[in-house]
Amino acid sequence: MKVIAALDADLDTTPLGTVSRLAEPLGDETVLRMTVRRLARAQRLQSIYVLVPPDQSARVTTLLEGTPAQVRQHETGSPPHTRLVSVARKWSLDGWRGGIGGAAAMDEYTHTRLLAGLAQQEQAGAVLCVPPAAALIDPELADAMIEYFCTAAEDMRMTFTLAPPGLSGTVFQTGLLQEMAEKNIPPGWTMSYKPDAPATDLTMRKCCFQAPEALRHSSGRMIADTGASLERIQRCLAEHAEPSAETVGRWLIAQARTYVPRLPREVEIELTTEDQLGATVLRPRGRRVGRRGPLDEEVVRRLGRELATYDDARVVLGGFGEPLLHPGLDRCLAGLRDAGVYGIALRTNGLALDDDNIETLIRHRVDVVSVSVDTANRDTYAALNGVDAQETVIGNLDRLVAAREGRPEAHPPRAPEVCPLVVAEMVKCRETLPEMEAFFDGWVRKLGWAVLTGYNDYGGRLEDRAVIDMTPPQRTACRRIQTRCLVTANADVLVCDQDFSVESTDGMAGSLLDATLEELWHGAAFRRVREAHAQGIPGTTHLCDRCCEWHRP
C-alpha cells in the first residue's frame, strides 16, 4: 500500500491560535526542517508533502531546500471546526486526548478535506498526518505504525497511539478522510462517547497501536507551537541529541517529578467568597470559608499581564465563591483578555447567569463555563445544596446556550459564537451515585459534554461522602505543586489549593500586593514543600498528611 506523509503548515499562525514557530531556530536548523528531516528517516513512507498557503510557498521551499519534502500550495482554508477544536483542547494540550467533547490532539492538525484531496491526487491508500512542528517525531515509531496499519488495513481505517502530542502521527485510510471531510467532523469525534450509540472505546480496539510503556505513562506537549512546548523540546534536546520517542517519554516522566516552570501552567483565581449556596455540603462555601475579597481588579490585570508572557497560560475563575457575584467581573475579564491570556474558564453555580452576565461572558470570549448542576434530580439538589434552585440553574444554563448560538429567543440578539463551551458538572458522591448515568448521558446529549468530579473532603475537613477511595496505594509527591496554584480573593497565593480557609501560614506563599507571581512561585514556601515532597515527606503543611487529592493533575 502506498502511504504518504502530509504536514499542513502555516508560517504565521497555528490551529491553536498561537504564533507559528516553524521558522524559528532549533539548534542548527528550523523547527519545520527538523520535523521533515527526522520524518524522512522513516522507511515505509513513499513521499512527504508540506502543504502551505500560496503566499508562503517560496519561503517554505527555501526553508526545506535539500530535504526530500515536496511543497504543495493549497487554497482550502481552515477546517470549519478549527475554532471549536482549539477551544476544546486548551486545558488538555499536554495529552493525546482529554479535550471537551472528546477532542484529541489528532484533531488539531488533521485537515481532512485537504488530506483527502492530496491522497486522491497521489493515489495513496493512506496518509500519515504529522504536525509540522513535531520536531521530535520518531521515524521508527512511524514505520511501526504504518507496518501495523498495512497488515490489518481491511479491519481498521486509522492507526493512532497513546503518546504525548508530537512524538507520533496518525495513519488515516484515504476513504476515512473522504468521509470525515464530507461530514465536516474532526477525527477525535469518532472516538468520543455517544450515549445513543455506545461502543467499545477505540483505545481497546485494533486501531490503537501499543506504544512503549514510557509513552503511555507520560504527558507533555512536544509540538513546538507554544512557547512552553518549544522550551520543553529545547530542554530535551540539550540532554538527548537525537532522542527516540521512548527516550522522550522517560525524560517527560522524570521532568514531571522535578521540573518547575517559570510560571504555573494554570492559575485559579478566587474573585470573591460570596456565594448563594453557602449551606451546600458538596464543596466548601459560606461560613466554612469565611469572608474574603472582592479581589482588586488591578491585581487581576497585573496577574494577567504576567501570565500572558506565556502564550498558553490558562486561568480558571473559581476558588471558594461565586465569581459572577464580583462587582467588577466585566473589568476583570477585560483585563485578562487585554493582557492576552490564552485560556479563560469560569466555574459557577449558575444562579447569577442573568442577561448582563451572559452578555459579559460571551463578549469577553470566555472559553469554558462549567455549571454546577450537581444532580439529575431536583429533590437531591435541594437536599445537598440547601436551596430548591435547580430549575433556575438549568433555565439560566439554557439561556446562556441560546445566547451563544444566536437563537431568536436570546436577549440581546447576536450572531452565533463558539465560546463559551458550556459544561454541566456533577460531584459524584453517595447521594448522587444512583443519578450519575442519567446525568452524564442527558447532558452529553444536550451540550456535547459533561463532567463528573470525585467528592473532595479537603483533608478531612468536610464529611466524607466519597463513593470509594480513589487514591493510589503508594504516596508520591503532589503533582499540583509543580504546575498550578490558587490566588485568593485577598490576593494571597496559596501553596495548596485545598486550603479553603487558610488556617495556617505554612500554606501561604505570600501576597500579590507585595510580590510578583513568579517571585512567589519560586519563593521559600513553595520550595520548602516541593523539596519535602521530593524526599517523600508530605507532611509539610497542615493538610498534606490527610490529603486525598495529591495524585490529581
Side-chain angles (χ1 to χ4, degrees):
M1 177 186 295
K2 181 179 181 181
V3 181
I4 61 176
L7 294 73
D8 182 12
D10 191 313
L11 297 179
D12 297 328
T13 189
T14 76
L16 300 181
T18 55
V19 174
S20 174
R21 291 169 169 81
L22 292 178
E24 290 192 19
L26 194 54
D28 297 329
E29 53 194 334
T30 63
V31 169
L32 178 60
R33 190 178 182 90
M34 181 178 287
T35 304
V36 169
R37 176 179 60 78
R38 286 177 62 95
L39 187 60
R41 300 210 306 258
Q43 301 298 306
R44 292 301 307 266
L45 288 172
Q46 271 74 23
S47 307
I48 300 174
Y49 296 93
V50 178
L51 311 173
V52 300
D55 62 340
Q56 297 182 14
S57 178
R59 283 192 294 161
V60 173
T61 299
T62 300
L63 286 174
L64 296 177
E65 187 176 358
T67 72
Q70 301 180 47
V71 178
R72 292 283 180 87
Q73 300 181 25
H74 75 91
E75 296 182 281
T76 313
S78 300
H81 50 260
T82 296
R83 174 67 174 147
L84 177 62
V85 168
S86 69
V87 174
R89 285 284 297 163
K90 283 188 177 184
W91 272 265
S92 53
L93 292 178
D94 287 335
W96 73 272
R97 193 181 193 179
I100 295 173
M106 68 175 70
D107 296 330
E108 298 166 1
Y109 286 92
T110 304
H111 191 330
T112 54
R113 190 172 303 280
L114 183 60
L115 300 188
L118 174 69
Q120 287 180 298
Q121 183 178 0
E122 298 302 319
Q123 298 183 330
V127 176
L128 174 68
C129 180
V130 176
L136 296 185
I137 186 77
D138 187 329
E140 292 184 4
L141 180 58
D143 274 337
M145 291 177 65
I146 294 169
E147 179 71 27
Y148 178 75
F149 174 86
C150 290
T151 57
E154 67 279 3
D155 298 324
M156 56 186 179
R157 308 184 71 191
M158 71 175 180
T159 295
F160 64 95
T161 193
L162 315 186
L167 299 182
S168 68
T170 306
V171 185
F172 294 102
Q173 183 194 69
T174 298
L176 177 61
L177 287 171
Q178 292 168 341
E179 288 181 22
M180 291 190 294
E182 291 169 2
K183 296 176 181 178
N184 279 331
I185 58 172
W189 189 88
T190 63
M191 62 176 68
S192 63
Y193 172 69
K194 303 170 187 65
D196 296 318
T200 303
D201 192 274
L202 290 187
T203 60
M204 306 295 293
R205 296 170 69 177
K206 235 178 183 180
C207 56
C208 181
F209 178 79
Q210 292 302 306
E213 183 179 3
L215 296 186
R216 301 196 305 271
H217 292 276
S218 59
S219 65
R221 192 172 187 84
M222 303 306 283
I223 305 174
D225 50 8
T226 73
S229 55
L230 177 60
E231 289 178 7
R232 184 180 295 118
I233 292 171
Q234 290 169 332
R235 294 198 313 274
C236 184
L237 288 173
E239 298 181 31
H240 306 281
E242 289 288 339
S244 67
E246 189 170 4
T247 298
V248 177
R250 290 194 297 268
W251 181 84
L252 286 171
I253 292 172
Q255 288 281 295
R257 294 193 294 263
T258 60
Y259 180 72
V260 180
R262 182 173 62 83
L263 291 169
R265 307 311 311 137
E266 179 180 314
V267 175
E268 185 166 3
I269 302 176
E270 177 187 81
L271 294 181
T272 178
T273 55
E274 293 293 322
D275 196 284
Q276 308 96 318
L277 300 180
T280 182
V281 298
L282 292 176
R283 55 189 68 85
R285 291 295 188 273
R287 285 178 297 178
R288 289 193 184 98
V289 175
R291 184 177 292 274
R292 293 192 290 262
L295 185 60
D296 190 316
E297 297 157 26
E298 180 56 31
V299 172
V300 178
R301 284 192 288 269
R302 289 203 311 268
L303 184 57
R305 289 194 293 268
E306 188 175 3
L307 289 172
T309 56
Y310 276 105
D311 61 356
D312 63 348
R314 285 144 288 185
V315 164
V316 178
L317 300 179
F320 302 104
E322 173 51 58
L324 295 180
L325 296 182
H326 190 285
L329 176 66
D330 182 89
R331 294 183 293 276
C332 290
L333 288 172
L336 294 172
R337 278 298 178 218
D338 291 345
V341 171
Y342 176 65
I344 301 176
L346 183 143
R347 297 185 67 184
T348 175
N349 61 35
L351 291 171
L353 277 171
D354 56 24
D355 289 339
D356 289 342
N357 278 332
I358 288 173
E359 170 67 17
T360 296
L361 296 175
I362 294 175
R363 178 159 38 85
H364 292 298
R365 308 183 315 283
V366 171
D367 297 289
V368 179
V369 173
S370 182
V371 183
S372 298
V373 180
D374 286 336
T375 72
N377 180 282
R378 174 179 172 178
D379 293 337
T380 310
Y381 180 96
L384 293 173
N385 288 313
V387 178
D388 183 8
Q390 191 181 55
E391 288 187 0
T392 301
V393 172
I394 293 174
N396 289 344
L397 187 156
D398 289 341
R399 289 167 54 243
L400 170 59
V401 174
R404 183 198 66 191
E405 295 178 351
R407 296 184 201 161
E409 68 267 29
H411 178 77
R414 60 163 57 249
E417 302 278 358
V418 168
C419 295
L421 300 185
V422 183
V423 177
E425 184 174 333
M426 171 182 175
V427 176
K428 183 177 73 172
C429 61
R430 289 192 294 270
E431 293 88 345
T432 62
L433 181 63
E435 305 172 11
M436 186 171 67
E437 185 175 344
F439 180 95
F440 191 78
D441 286 359
W443 285 105
V444 168
R445 291 187 185 100
K446 190 169 185 176
L447 298 176
W449 204 238
V451 171
L452 304 175
T453 61
Y455 181 80
N456 182 357
D457 67 5
Y458 288 85
R461 287 177 296 164
L462 302 186
E463 180 183 347
D464 183 11
R465 285 184 154 80
V467 175
I468 189 172
D469 183 2
M470 297 298 293
T471 54
Q474 183 177 355
R475 180 70 186 255
T476 59
C478 178
R479 299 176 66 184
R480 297 184 172 199
I481 55 176
Q482 308 283 106
T483 59
R484 71 192 305 272
C485 70
L486 172 68
V487 177
T488 74
N490 287 344
D492 294 323
V493 175
L494 301 186
V495 172
C496 176
D497 61 8
Q498 300 295 294
D499 196 3
F500 60 81
S501 55
V502 196
E503 294 175 359
S504 173
T505 57
D506 66 0
M508 188 182 297
S511 173
L512 290 174
L513 300 177
D514 305 319
T516 66
L517 178 62
E518 182 175 356
E519 290 168 341
L520 299 177
W521 180 243
H522 294 278
F526 270 108
R527 285 202 309 273
R528 174 175 54 82
V529 174
R530 289 176 185 135
E531 289 169 2
H533 276 247
Q535 296 169 19
I537 312 171
T540 50
T541 76
H542 63 292
L543 293 177
C544 287
D545 285 337
R546 296 171 289 163
C547 179
C548 296
E549 300 295 305
W550 50 268
H551 61 291
R552 301 190 188 279

